[in-house]
Amino acid sequence: MWARVVEVMLGCWLASSPFVFHHGADARGLWVTDLACAAAIVTLALLSFAPTLRRAHLGHLVIAAWLVVSGYLGGTAPAHQNHVVVGLLLAMLAIVPSRASLPPPSWQARWARGSVGGGR
């Protein structure tokens, strides 16, 4: 679940980035993109903690594609470069399974039977 926690942190960074990069009042599109994407990222990451919705984080791939494309087409302003970087990081984390830090299921079954280190 470590990847989901990092995704939540990326969402918080994206929500705070309009203040860091000083988007003006005339840059309404950047505000909407940053805040809407941040809300969606955090929501999908938190939904992935539920066992029945453990694959909800795959929706991040759509958001990541949007961020990369909009950042690439937006120009070289720091806010657009931030979109590209956050989008690429998000895509990388989205393909990490939610249970990536757990041992394989066959190992878990063996440990549940108590036959680890038993000499058999």
Side-chain angles (χ1 to χ4, degrees):
M1 291 297 209
W2 63 269
R4 307 298 79 87
V5 174
V6 176
E7 289 166 351
V8 170
M9 290 189 292
L10 277 176
C12 292
W13 163 251
L14 197 58
S16 65
S17 66
F19 304 103
V20 173
F21 295 113
H22 304 291
H23 295 344
D26 57 337
R28 186 167 294 198
L30 286 174
W31 280 90
V32 170
T33 297
D34 286 345
L35 297 178
C37 288
I41 290 168
V42 171
T43 302
L44 288 172
L46 292 177
L47 285 174
S48 293
F49 281 100
T52 56
L53 298 171
R54 66 181 179 179
R55 289 189 175 93
H57 63 92
L58 294 176
H60 287 149
L61 292 172
V62 175
I63 299 167
W66 168 255
L67 286 171
V68 170
V69 169
S70 69
Y72 180 75
L73 297 176
T76 60
H80 296 297
Q81 292 175 358
N82 182 54
H83 286 170
V84 172
V85 170
V86 170
L88 292 174
L89 286 171
L90 189 62
M92 182 179 64
L93 291 169
I95 61 173
V96 175
S98 292
R99 299 174 53 99
S101 59
L102 296 177
S106 61
W107 293 8
Q108 291 178 12
R110 187 171 178 169
W111 287 335
R113 289 192 312 259
S115 60
V116 175
R120 287 188 181 188

